[in-house]
Amino acid sequence: EKKRTLYEALGGEQAISTITEQFYQRVHMHPDLKPLFPDDLSETVRKQKQFLTQFCGGSPLYTEEHGHPQLRARHLPFEITPKRAQAWLDCMEKALAASQLEDEEAVHELYRRLTLTAHHMVNTSV
Ligand code: HEM
């Protein structure tokens, strides 16, 4: 029997879409994050939906279009300090709460995995 993926437990495409949109609304208003991002976030949102889908065990949408994620390398052009990683996680925590998903265990698991990934992105000490 095939194990249910995190993607399915969260609520599939609709859930990933809601989380991502809630997230970038907050990123766009966060003083520590806004300066790093383009003004028009539509392409960023599109890529993040693809990435989170595969990160949660859904279809490998990101890799199909962009190749291996190599997330740490893709973030090297940006100075990611511990403070910015925490800001990213704060936006995500609020986005997850606002998304009102049913399976709290699944939400908690996603946040736990994103915390590890966010810390892995840190490439600048101050
Ligand atoms: C792209 C910042 C963590 C996934 C980006 C971009 C910035 C950024 C500035 C470029 C946006 C653009 O030009 O479209 C940060 C900061 C983080 C962080 C400050 C703090 C730790 C993460 C984490 C993930 C992630 C934890 C995994 C869920 C991505 C993806 C892209 C991206 C998939 C698109 C890459 C591409 O261009 O193909 N990030 N990020 N980021 N980030 Fe992050």
Side-chain angles (χ1 to χ4, degrees), residues 76-116:
L76 287 179
F78 311 103
E79 288 187 356
I80 305 192
T81 58
K83 190 180 178 202
R84 282 181 172 146
Q86 191 53 55
W88 193 104
L89 287 167
D90 289 345
C91 290
M92 183 54 78
E93 192 173 21
K94 293 195 177 100
L96 289 171
S99 298
Q100 296 186 299
L101 302 171
E102 274 174 26
D103 189 338
E104 284 179 37
E105 281 293 317
V107 171
H108 195 263
E109 173 62 11
L110 173 60
Y111 186 74
R112 191 190 67 78
R113 289 169 56 180
L114 288 172
T115 301
L116 299 176

mmCIF file of all heavy atoms in Angstrom, residues 76-116:
data_model
loop_
_atom_site.group_PDB
_atom_site.id
_atom_site.type_symbol
_atom_site.label_atom_id
_atom_site.label_comp_id
_atom_site.label_asym_id
_atom_site.label_seq_id
_atom_site.Cartn_x
_atom_site.Cartn_y
_atom_site.Cartn_z
ATOM 1 N N LEU A 76 22.691 31.732 -3.343
ATOM 2 C CA LEU A 76 23.979 32.386 -3.061
ATOM 3 C C LEU A 76 24.058 33.841 -3.540
ATOM 4 O O LEU A 76 24.761 34.639 -2.915
ATOM 5 C CB LEU A 76 25.141 31.568 -3.634
ATOM 6 C CG LEU A 76 25.481 30.272 -2.879
ATOM 7 C CD1 LEU A 76 26.631 29.540 -3.578
ATOM 8 C CD2 LEU A 76 25.827 30.542 -1.416
ATOM 9 N N PRO A 77 23.343 34.228 -4.613
ATOM 10 C CA PRO A 77 23.385 35.652 -4.993
ATOM 11 C C PRO A 77 22.780 36.588 -3.941
ATOM 12 O O PRO A 77 22.956 37.806 -4.026
ATOM 13 C CB PRO A 77 22.553 35.711 -6.286
ATOM 14 C CG PRO A 77 22.515 34.311 -6.796
ATOM 15 C CD PRO A 77 22.599 33.422 -5.581
ATOM 16 N N PHE A 78 22.049 36.027 -2.967
ATOM 17 C CA PHE A 78 21.386 36.848 -1.955
ATOM 18 C C PHE A 78 22.065 36.648 -0.610
ATOM 19 O O PHE A 78 22.414 35.519 -0.255
ATOM 20 C CB PHE A 78 19.904 36.466 -1.843
ATOM 21 C CG PHE A 78 19.216 36.387 -3.178
ATOM 22 C CD1 PHE A 78 18.951 35.164 -3.776
ATOM 23 C CD2 PHE A 78 18.889 37.549 -3.871
ATOM 24 C CE1 PHE A 78 18.350 35.089 -5.024
ATOM 25 C CE2 PHE A 78 18.286 37.490 -5.123
ATOM 26 C CZ PHE A 78 18.015 36.252 -5.703
ATOM 27 N N GLU A 79 22.231 37.741 0.124
ATOM 28 C CA GLU A 79 22.825 37.625 1.461
ATOM 29 C C GLU A 79 21.760 37.118 2.420
ATOM 30 O O GLU A 79 20.879 37.869 2.836
ATOM 31 C CB GLU A 79 23.365 38.980 1.915
ATOM 32 C CG GLU A 79 24.610 39.380 1.157
ATOM 33 C CD GLU A 79 25.261 40.647 1.713
ATOM 34 O OE1 GLU A 79 24.694 41.274 2.649
ATOM 35 O OE2 GLU A 79 26.340 40.994 1.202
ATOM 36 N N ILE A 80 21.839 35.846 2.755
ATOM 37 C CA ILE A 80 20.862 35.263 3.675
ATOM 38 C C ILE A 80 21.497 35.117 5.049
ATOM 39 O O ILE A 80 22.334 34.249 5.276
ATOM 40 C CB ILE A 80 20.293 33.940 3.133
ATOM 41 C CG1 ILE A 80 19.715 34.222 1.738
ATOM 42 C CG2 ILE A 80 19.240 33.398 4.095
ATOM 43 C CD1 ILE A 80 18.867 33.153 1.158
ATOM 44 N N THR A 81 21.103 36.039 5.916
ATOM 45 C CA THR A 81 21.595 36.082 7.292
ATOM 46 C C THR A 81 20.663 35.250 8.172
ATOM 47 O O THR A 81 19.536 34.948 7.771
ATOM 48 C CB THR A 81 21.576 37.542 7.788
ATOM 49 O OG1 THR A 81 20.216 38.027 7.682
ATOM 50 C CG2 THR A 81 22.495 38.443 6.971
ATOM 51 N N PRO A 82 21.110 34.896 9.381
ATOM 52 C CA PRO A 82 20.198 34.208 10.302
ATOM 53 C C PRO A 82 18.918 35.013 10.543
ATOM 54 O O PRO A 82 17.824 34.444 10.646
ATOM 55 C CB PRO A 82 21.031 34.085 11.588
ATOM 56 C CG PRO A 82 22.453 34.058 11.113
ATOM 57 C CD PRO A 82 22.486 35.001 9.924
ATOM 58 N N LYS A 83 19.049 36.339 10.599
ATOM 59 C CA LYS A 83 17.879 37.192 10.813
ATOM 60 C C LYS A 83 16.883 37.069 9.658
ATOM 61 O O LYS A 83 15.665 37.025 9.857
ATOM 62 C CB LYS A 83 18.344 38.647 10.963
ATOM 63 C CG LYS A 83 17.278 39.601 11.427
ATOM 64 C CD LYS A 83 17.828 41.015 11.538
ATOM 65 C CE LYS A 83 16.719 41.980 11.958
ATOM 66 N NZ LYS A 83 17.061 43.362 11.567
ATOM 67 N N ARG A 84 17.406 37.031 8.424
ATOM 68 C CA ARG A 84 16.517 36.891 7.265
ATOM 69 C C ARG A 84 15.887 35.498 7.207
ATOM 70 O O ARG A 84 14.736 35.356 6.804
ATOM 71 C CB ARG A 84 17.280 37.187 5.973
ATOM 72 C CG ARG A 84 17.461 38.670 5.770
ATOM 73 C CD ARG A 84 18.192 38.976 4.486
ATOM 74 N NE ARG A 84 18.191 40.396 4.229
ATOM 75 C CZ ARG A 84 19.195 41.051 3.633
ATOM 76 N NH1 ARG A 84 20.258 40.395 3.216
ATOM 77 N NH2 ARG A 84 19.120 42.345 3.440
ATOM 78 N N ALA A 85 16.649 34.475 7.595
ATOM 79 C CA ALA A 85 16.070 33.126 7.632
ATOM 80 C C ALA A 85 14.906 33.090 8.631
ATOM 81 O O ALA A 85 13.854 32.498 8.365
ATOM 82 C CB ALA A 85 17.132 32.094 8.006
ATOM 83 N N GLN A 86 15.096 33.746 9.772
ATOM 84 C CA GLN A 86 14.025 33.779 10.776
ATOM 85 C C GLN A 86 12.822 34.564 10.250
ATOM 86 O O GLN A 86 11.668 34.173 10.462
ATOM 87 C CB GLN A 86 14.531 34.366 12.098
ATOM 88 C CG GLN A 86 13.555 34.182 13.261
ATOM 89 C CD GLN A 86 13.134 32.719 13.438
ATOM 90 O OE1 GLN A 86 13.963 31.836 13.583
ATOM 91 N NE2 GLN A 86 11.823 32.444 13.407
ATOM 92 N N ALA A 87 13.086 35.657 9.547
ATOM 93 C CA ALA A 87 11.996 36.453 8.959
ATOM 94 C C ALA A 87 11.202 35.593 7.960
ATOM 95 O O ALA A 87 9.969 35.635 7.928
ATOM 96 C CB ALA A 87 12.564 37.692 8.272
ATOM 97 N N TRP A 88 11.941 34.836 7.140
ATOM 98 C CA TRP A 88 11.300 33.933 6.160
ATOM 99 C C TRP A 88 10.377 32.943 6.895
ATOM 100 O O TRP A 88 9.230 32.735 6.519
ATOM 101 C CB TRP A 88 12.391 33.196 5.396
ATOM 102 C CG TRP A 88 11.998 32.455 4.148
ATOM 103 C CD1 TRP A 88 12.223 32.856 2.861
ATOM 104 C CD2 TRP A 88 11.348 31.170 4.058
ATOM 105 N NE1 TRP A 88 11.745 31.902 1.984
ATOM 106 C CE2 TRP A 88 11.212 30.861 2.675
ATOM 107 C CE3 TRP A 88 10.875 30.249 4.996
ATOM 108 C CZ2 TRP A 88 10.621 29.688 2.226
ATOM 109 C CZ3 TRP A 88 10.274 29.074 4.544
ATOM 110 C CH2 TRP A 88 10.159 28.805 3.178
ATOM 111 N N LEU A 89 10.915 32.346 7.970
ATOM 112 C CA LEU A 89 10.133 31.368 8.735
ATOM 113 C C LEU A 89 8.934 32.013 9.437
ATOM 114 O O LEU A 89 7.861 31.408 9.521
ATOM 115 C CB LEU A 89 11.031 30.649 9.742
ATOM 116 C CG LEU A 89 11.995 29.649 9.119
ATOM 117 C CD1 LEU A 89 13.058 29.215 10.133
ATOM 118 C CD2 LEU A 89 11.243 28.418 8.590
ATOM 119 N N ASP A 90 9.100 33.242 9.914
ATOM 120 C CA ASP A 90 7.973 33.946 10.551
ATOM 121 C C ASP A 90 6.848 34.167 9.542
ATOM 122 O O ASP A 90 5.666 33.968 9.858
ATOM 123 C CB ASP A 90 8.429 35.306 11.113
ATOM 124 C CG ASP A 90 9.330 35.160 12.334
ATOM 125 O OD1 ASP A 90 9.379 34.060 12.921
ATOM 126 O OD2 ASP A 90 9.993 36.161 12.699
ATOM 127 N N CYS A 91 7.227 34.580 8.322
ATOM 128 C CA CYS A 91 6.211 34.762 7.263
ATOM 129 C C CYS A 91 5.524 33.442 6.955
ATOM 130 O O CYS A 91 4.309 33.399 6.746
ATOM 131 C CB CYS A 91 6.849 35.319 5.980
ATOM 132 S SG CYS A 91 7.393 37.031 6.115
ATOM 133 N N MET A 92 6.298 32.359 6.918
ATOM 134 C CA MET A 92 5.721 31.047 6.614
ATOM 135 C C MET A 92 4.794 30.576 7.738
ATOM 136 O O MET A 92 3.708 30.034 7.475
ATOM 137 C CB MET A 92 6.840 30.023 6.361
ATOM 138 C CG MET A 92 6.350 28.657 5.963
ATOM 139 S SD MET A 92 5.219 28.628 4.532
ATOM 140 C CE MET A 92 6.368 28.813 3.161
ATOM 141 N N GLU A 93 5.201 30.798 8.978
ATOM 142 C CA GLU A 93 4.365 30.380 10.109
ATOM 143 C C GLU A 93 3.013 31.086 10.044
ATOM 144 O O GLU A 93 1.954 30.459 10.214
ATOM 145 C CB GLU A 93 5.091 30.703 11.428
ATOM 146 C CG GLU A 93 4.458 30.051 12.625
ATOM 147 C CD GLU A 93 5.273 30.245 13.897
ATOM 148 O OE1 GLU A 93 6.108 31.193 13.951
ATOM 149 O OE2 GLU A 93 5.068 29.463 14.829
ATOM 150 N N LYS A 94 3.041 32.383 9.759
ATOM 151 C CA LYS A 94 1.792 33.150 9.667
ATOM 152 C C LYS A 94 0.973 32.714 8.454
ATOM 153 O O LYS A 94 -0.256 32.642 8.518
ATOM 154 C CB LYS A 94 2.102 34.652 9.592
ATOM 155 C CG LYS A 94 2.718 35.190 10.878
ATOM 156 C CD LYS A 94 2.665 36.713 10.913
ATOM 157 C CE LYS A 94 3.209 37.243 12.241
ATOM 158 N NZ LYS A 94 4.608 37.702 12.095
ATOM 159 N N ALA A 95 1.667 32.433 7.351
ATOM 160 C CA ALA A 95 0.959 31.992 6.136
ATOM 161 C C ALA A 95 0.252 30.655 6.387
ATOM 162 O O ALA A 95 -0.890 30.462 5.967
ATOM 163 C CB ALA A 95 1.942 31.856 4.973
ATOM 164 N N LEU A 96 0.925 29.759 7.084
ATOM 165 C CA LEU A 96 0.323 28.449 7.371
ATOM 166 C C LEU A 96 -0.894 28.609 8.283
ATOM 167 O O LEU A 96 -1.933 27.986 8.059
ATOM 168 C CB LEU A 96 1.359 27.511 8.007
ATOM 169 C CG LEU A 96 2.464 27.028 7.062
ATOM 170 C CD1 LEU A 96 3.554 26.295 7.837
ATOM 171 C CD2 LEU A 96 1.902 26.130 5.958
ATOM 172 N N ALA A 97 -0.774 29.469 9.283
ATOM 173 C CA ALA A 97 -1.903 29.696 10.195
ATOM 174 C C ALA A 97 -3.086 30.290 9.432
ATOM 175 O O ALA A 97 -4.241 29.889 9.632
ATOM 176 C CB ALA A 97 -1.478 30.610 11.341
ATOM 177 N N ALA A 98 -2.801 31.229 8.523
ATOM 178 C CA ALA A 98 -3.867 31.902 7.771
ATOM 179 C C ALA A 98 -4.521 30.964 6.749
ATOM 180 O O ALA A 98 -5.644 31.221 6.310
ATOM 181 C CB ALA A 98 -3.312 33.134 7.069
ATOM 182 N N SER A 99 -3.835 29.912 6.368
ATOM 183 C CA SER A 99 -4.353 29.031 5.326
ATOM 184 C C SER A 99 -5.430 28.068 5.833
ATOM 185 O O SER A 99 -6.112 27.415 5.034
ATOM 186 C CB SER A 99 -3.210 28.226 4.685
ATOM 187 O OG SER A 99 -2.290 29.090 4.070
ATOM 188 N N GLN A 100 -5.587 27.986 7.138
ATOM 189 C CA GLN A 100 -6.662 27.204 7.772
ATOM 190 C C GLN A 100 -6.793 25.787 7.210
ATOM 191 O O GLN A 100 -7.856 25.380 6.758
ATOM 192 C CB GLN A 100 -7.994 27.945 7.617
ATOM 193 C CG GLN A 100 -8.008 29.273 8.354
ATOM 194 C CD GLN A 100 -9.367 29.934 8.311
ATOM 195 O OE1 GLN A 100 -9.882 30.257 7.256
ATOM 196 N NE2 GLN A 100 -9.956 30.149 9.481
ATOM 197 N N LEU A 101 -5.664 25.076 7.239
ATOM 198 C CA LEU A 101 -5.675 23.708 6.732
ATOM 199 C C LEU A 101 -6.121 22.754 7.844
ATOM 200 O O LEU A 101 -5.898 23.035 9.030
ATOM 201 C CB LEU A 101 -4.283 23.342 6.205
ATOM 202 C CG LEU A 101 -3.791 24.285 5.106
ATOM 203 C CD1 LEU A 101 -2.335 24.010 4.770
ATOM 204 C CD2 LEU A 101 -4.654 24.193 3.863
ATOM 205 N N GLU A 102 -6.751 21.670 7.457
ATOM 206 C CA GLU A 102 -7.368 20.789 8.460
ATOM 207 C C GLU A 102 -6.375 19.932 9.229
ATOM 208 O O GLU A 102 -6.510 19.752 10.429
ATOM 209 C CB GLU A 102 -8.390 19.875 7.778
ATOM 210 C CG GLU A 102 -9.742 20.538 7.653
ATOM 211 C CD GLU A 102 -10.707 19.699 6.840
ATOM 212 O OE1 GLU A 102 -10.536 18.463 6.786
ATOM 213 O OE2 GLU A 102 -11.629 20.303 6.253
ATOM 214 N N ASP A 103 -5.387 19.400 8.509
ATOM 215 C CA ASP A 103 -4.487 18.423 9.118
ATOM 216 C C ASP A 103 -3.304 19.117 9.808
ATOM 217 O O ASP A 103 -2.293 19.432 9.192
ATOM 218 C CB ASP A 103 -4.004 17.459 8.022
ATOM 219 C CG ASP A 103 -3.234 16.271 8.576
ATOM 220 O OD1 ASP A 103 -2.709 16.370 9.716
ATOM 221 O OD2 ASP A 103 -3.149 15.255 7.878
ATOM 222 N N GLU A 104 -3.481 19.375 11.090
ATOM 223 C CA GLU A 104 -2.465 20.121 11.844
ATOM 224 C C GLU A 104 -1.128 19.401 11.904
ATOM 225 O O GLU A 104 -0.078 20.031 11.921
ATOM 226 C CB GLU A 104 -2.955 20.400 13.275
ATOM 227 C CG GLU A 104 -3.971 21.518 13.340
ATOM 228 C CD GLU A 104 -4.465 21.763 14.757
ATOM 229 O OE1 GLU A 104 -3.642 21.646 15.697
ATOM 230 O OE2 GLU A 104 -5.667 22.048 14.923
ATOM 231 N N GLU A 105 -1.182 18.075 11.961
ATOM 232 C CA GLU A 105 0.055 17.279 11.954
ATOM 233 C C GLU A 105 0.853 17.528 10.681
ATOM 234 O O GLU A 105 2.080 17.675 10.710
ATOM 235 C CB GLU A 105 -0.284 15.779 12.029
ATOM 236 C CG GLU A 105 -0.630 15.274 13.417
ATOM 237 C CD GLU A 105 0.575 15.316 14.348
ATOM 238 O OE1 GLU A 105 1.677 14.929 13.897
ATOM 239 O OE2 GLU A 105 0.417 15.755 15.500
ATOM 240 N N ALA A 106 0.140 17.557 9.557
ATOM 241 C CA ALA A 106 0.787 17.766 8.262
ATOM 242 C C ALA A 106 1.392 19.176 8.201
ATOM 243 O O ALA A 106 2.521 19.344 7.734
ATOM 244 C CB ALA A 106 -0.220 17.553 7.129
ATOM 245 N N VAL A 107 0.668 20.147 8.679
ATOM 246 C CA VAL A 107 1.156 21.528 8.689
ATOM 247 C C VAL A 107 2.423 21.621 9.543
ATOM 248 O O VAL A 107 3.405 22.243 9.162
ATOM 249 C CB VAL A 107 0.062 22.494 9.221
ATOM 250 C CG1 VAL A 107 0.632 23.888 9.447
ATOM 251 C CG2 VAL A 107 -1.113 22.549 8.250
ATOM 252 N N HIS A 108 2.389 20.951 10.679
ATOM 253 C CA HIS A 108 3.529 20.963 11.586
ATOM 254 C C HIS A 108 4.750 20.313 10.938
ATOM 255 O O HIS A 108 5.872 20.805 11.053
ATOM 256 C CB HIS A 108 3.148 20.242 12.890
ATOM 257 C CG HIS A 108 4.102 20.507 14.000
ATOM 258 N ND1 HIS A 108 5.114 19.637 14.315
ATOM 259 C CD2 HIS A 108 4.219 21.554 14.833
ATOM 260 C CE1 HIS A 108 5.824 20.141 15.316
ATOM 261 N NE2 HIS A 108 5.302 21.303 15.645
ATOM 262 N N GLU A 109 4.514 19.222 10.235
ATOM 263 C CA GLU A 109 5.599 18.512 9.548
ATOM 264 C C GLU A 109 6.202 19.380 8.429
ATOM 265 O O GLU A 109 7.423 19.447 8.265
ATOM 266 C CB GLU A 109 5.077 17.176 8.995
ATOM 267 C CG GLU A 109 6.045 16.403 8.102
ATOM 268 C CD GLU A 109 7.335 15.968 8.783
ATOM 269 O OE1 GLU A 109 7.445 16.062 10.025
ATOM 270 O OE2 GLU A 109 8.254 15.552 8.048
ATOM 271 N N LEU A 110 5.352 20.056 7.677
ATOM 272 C CA LEU A 110 5.853 20.950 6.626
ATOM 273 C C LEU A 110 6.716 22.053 7.245
ATOM 274 O O LEU A 110 7.825 22.320 6.776
ATOM 275 C CB LEU A 110 4.688 21.569 5.840
ATOM 276 C CG LEU A 110 5.095 22.646 4.818
ATOM 277 C CD1 LEU A 110 6.057 22.087 3.769
ATOM 278 C CD2 LEU A 110 3.853 23.246 4.145
ATOM 279 N N TYR A 111 6.215 22.667 8.313
ATOM 280 C CA TYR A 111 6.963 23.752 8.943
ATOM 281 C C TYR A 111 8.309 23.260 9.490
ATOM 282 O O TYR A 111 9.328 23.939 9.354
ATOM 283 C CB TYR A 111 6.132 24.403 10.057
ATOM 284 C CG TYR A 111 6.835 25.618 10.629
ATOM 285 C CD1 TYR A 111 6.898 26.807 9.904
ATOM 286 C CD2 TYR A 111 7.459 25.563 11.868
ATOM 287 C CE1 TYR A 111 7.566 27.915 10.405
ATOM 288 C CE2 TYR A 111 8.131 26.667 12.371
ATOM 289 C CZ TYR A 111 8.181 27.838 11.638
ATOM 290 O OH TYR A 111 8.849 28.927 12.133
ATOM 291 N N ARG A 112 8.303 22.057 10.042
ATOM 292 C CA ARG A 112 9.547 21.477 10.570
ATOM 293 C C ARG A 112 10.573 21.302 9.446
ATOM 294 O O ARG A 112 11.748 21.665 9.588
ATOM 295 C CB ARG A 112 9.228 20.125 11.227
ATOM 296 C CG ARG A 112 10.350 19.527 12.054
ATOM 297 C CD ARG A 112 10.046 18.090 12.472
ATOM 298 N NE ARG A 112 10.011 17.189 11.332
ATOM 299 C CZ ARG A 112 11.108 16.702 10.720
ATOM 300 N NH1 ARG A 112 12.318 17.004 11.162
ATOM 301 N NH2 ARG A 112 10.983 15.903 9.676
ATOM 302 N N ARG A 113 10.125 20.790 8.317
ATOM 303 C CA ARG A 113 11.046 20.569 7.196
ATOM 304 C C ARG A 113 11.518 21.881 6.586
ATOM 305 O O ARG A 113 12.675 22.008 6.171
ATOM 306 C CB ARG A 113 10.373 19.678 6.140
ATOM 307 C CG ARG A 113 10.232 18.239 6.653
ATOM 308 C CD ARG A 113 9.356 17.382 5.772
ATOM 309 N NE ARG A 113 9.828 17.372 4.387
ATOM 310 C CZ ARG A 113 9.250 16.701 3.405
ATOM 311 N NH1 ARG A 113 8.167 15.995 3.643
ATOM 312 N NH2 ARG A 113 9.740 16.738 2.192
ATOM 313 N N LEU A 114 10.641 22.866 6.544
ATOM 314 C CA LEU A 114 11.033 24.177 6.004
ATOM 315 C C LEU A 114 12.031 24.875 6.924
ATOM 316 O O LEU A 114 12.884 25.635 6.466
ATOM 317 C CB LEU A 114 9.802 25.060 5.773
ATOM 318 C CG LEU A 114 8.924 24.637 4.602
ATOM 319 C CD1 LEU A 114 7.634 25.457 4.585
ATOM 320 C CD2 LEU A 114 9.664 24.772 3.269
ATOM 321 N N THR A 115 11.907 24.621 8.228
ATOM 322 C CA THR A 115 12.850 25.205 9.184
ATOM 323 C C THR A 115 14.265 24.699 8.899
ATOM 324 O O THR A 115 15.218 25.493 8.843
ATOM 325 C CB THR A 115 12.432 24.858 10.637
ATOM 326 O OG1 THR A 115 11.120 25.365 10.856
ATOM 327 C CG2 THR A 115 13.386 25.473 11.648
ATOM 328 N N LEU A 116 14.380 23.403 8.664
ATOM 329 C CA LEU A 116 15.704 22.833 8.339
ATOM 330 C C LEU A 116 16.249 23.448 7.048
ATOM 331 O O LEU A 116 17.416 23.835 6.963
ATOM 332 C CB LEU A 116 15.609 21.309 8.179
ATOM 333 C CG LEU A 116 15.139 20.507 9.398
ATOM 334 C CD1 LEU A 116 15.003 19.033 9.035
ATOM 335 C CD2 LEU A 116 16.111 20.685 10.566
#
